[in-house]
Amino acid sequence: MNWRRAASCRIVDVARFEFHQDPPPLEGMDKAERMLNLVVRSFGLVLMVVGLIVALTVIFSAWSLYRSPTHIESFAQAVEQGSHLDLTLSRATQNGQQQLDTSDRAGLAPPARTADTPDKTPPASFRFSYFMAWLIAILLLLLVGRLAIAAVRTGGELALYDVQVKKLARALLEERTRTKGE
């Protein structure tokens, strides 16, 4: 008799016993299952570490933008070069100013000027691309942060994959024994 195999015993009647031996494990399948389990857990740990690193990078980037908001200037210039938002808005403002000047010449009285009012209004320094750059940067930080959190969560689930499967198997066995007892 092979003593390595576990034998279970249960009492059926007072006079009769039944012995059940577990089937011999398949060596090749057992090794493949262990190897797959190791690969899944390793991948989960790597994914969790990468997610943590990315999350910390997002936090440091957001803190850097908070401490020195002038770093967004280069991003705002890139937004302006790609979209020409400021140029379009300045042209629309100039067209509106030209229409006002034409209506002044058409018979409307110009506004009264005082000593405090300069003859020419200074050009507006409002740059819409700067605000768009901030919006895009914040949205990108939120998106990358969300992906990092998802990577940490998924990596943790993969690293604890075997534990979850064992809990599920235990719960199924408990349910089965409870339904047999009824």
Side-chain angles (χ1 to χ4, degrees), residues 4-138:
R4 290 183 184 180
R5 293 185 185 145
S8 62
C9 171
R10 92 180 149 130
I11 300 174
V12 176
D13 289 330
V14 176
R16 194 176 99 195
F17 292 92
E18 286 184 21
F19 290 96
H20 298 282
Q21 283 188 336
D22 294 336
L26 300 173
E27 295 297 322
M29 291 298 285
D30 192 36
K31 287 181 182 178
E33 184 179 337
R34 281 190 221 154
M35 193 62 150
L36 181 63
N37 192 6
L38 180 67
V39 168
V40 168
R41 283 181 175 211
S42 301
F43 182 71
L45 286 174
V46 167
L47 190 60
M48 203 164 66
V49 168
V50 167
L52 283 173
I53 291 171
V54 170
L56 289 174
T57 304
V58 166
I59 290 170
F60 289 132
S61 297
W63 187 252
S64 169
L65 283 175
Y66 172 75
R67 292 188 54 88
S68 58
T70 56
H71 290 304
I72 203 79
E73 187 66 35
S74 61
F75 192 56
Q77 289 173 354
V79 168
E80 171 57 29
Q81 287 176 356
S83 65
H84 303 292
L85 285 172
D86 295 335
L87 182 64
T88 305
L89 288 176
S90 68
R91 284 184 185 164
T93 306
Q94 287 173 356
N95 289 342
Q97 186 64 34
Q98 287 175 355
Q99 288 177 353
L100 281 175
D101 290 343
T102 329
S103 65
D104 284 346
R105 290 185 207 137
L108 295 175
R113 301 203 185 269
T114 62
D116 297 335
T117 309
D119 287 337
K120 291 187 175 181
T121 58
S125 63
F126 177 77
R127 292 186 23 220
F128 190 68
S129 61
Y130 182 77
F131 293 102
M132 287 304 296
W134 270 106
L135 178 69
I136 292 169
I138 290 171

